[in-house]
Amino acid sequence: MRTPEEVKQEVEELYEATRDAVLGDWDIGGWTWTGCATSAGSEGGAFNIFSQRREQLLPSDPESVAKAVRAILADQGHSVTVEYIADLPKPRWVLSDPPWLAGSGPEGLLVQFTVADGYADFSATSRCVAGDLGKLSGIE
């Protein structure tokens, strides 16, 4: 069983590695704890991150950025799938662990990165850990 600090650190490190690979002005839309139920059925919390960078040149074309981020996430132990989704309002490359639109993974973990011309975003939901949501929200 992981601690709240460990699950929070896991998604923060994934975000930081992605952000460092796709430099620019990232706008942190939210870093929050949300309620969840652990695999044992206990009340708990999951740490969530969402951040995006808009209207900025990418370091290379979106497909190359997607491949670079995929390698970074693989180095961190996440086998992300990479898909080009053409039917979104802004077509983009989507990296996701588990695969896009397949729900969450073990213990609620979900990691996603999307990239298109002039746009990138990162979102992650940590594994669910047991604990009081109010107390979890106070973890720095």
Side-chain angles (χ1 to χ4, degrees):
M1 180 64 95
R2 295 178 188 228
T3 67
E5 292 82 7
E6 288 171 335
V7 299
K8 181 178 184 273
Q9 181 179 357
E10 179 182 26
V11 295
E12 286 177 334
E13 288 175 357
L14 291 169
Y15 166 66
E16 290 166 2
T18 303
R19 178 201 63 205
D20 293 348
V22 189
L23 296 174
D25 295 324
W26 285 83
D27 178 25
I28 299 170
W31 293 40
T32 60
W33 285 90
T34 56
C36 60
T38 67
S39 56
S42 302
E43 286 188 28
F47 185 70
N48 301 279
I49 290 178
F50 177 75
S51 186
Q52 62 185 340
R53 64 188 294 288
R54 293 183 273 180
E55 300 177 20
Q56 300 171 54
L57 292 175
L58 294 168
S60 59
D61 65 277
E63 182 178 11
S64 296
V65 170
K67 288 178 181 178
V69 171
R70 180 182 191 189
I72 289 166
L73 295 176
D75 286 347
Q76 301 266 344
H78 295 275
S79 301
V80 297
T81 61
V82 179
E83 299 178 58
Y84 184 74
I85 311 298
D87 60 352
L88 293 173
K90 184 168 192 157
R92 65 191 74 191
W93 292 92
V94 177
L95 288 71
S96 187
D97 177 19
W100 192 55
L101 300 180
S104 61
E107 302 167 352
L109 182 67
L110 175 62
V111 178
Q112 294 184 324
F113 171 79
T114 73
V115 61
D117 286 326
Y119 178 83
D121 69 47
F122 176 90
S123 63
T125 299
S126 77
R127 302 165 201 277
C128 185
V129 292
D132 176 80
L133 188 57
K135 290 179 183 176
L136 292 171
S137 296
I139 294 174
E140 293 296 321

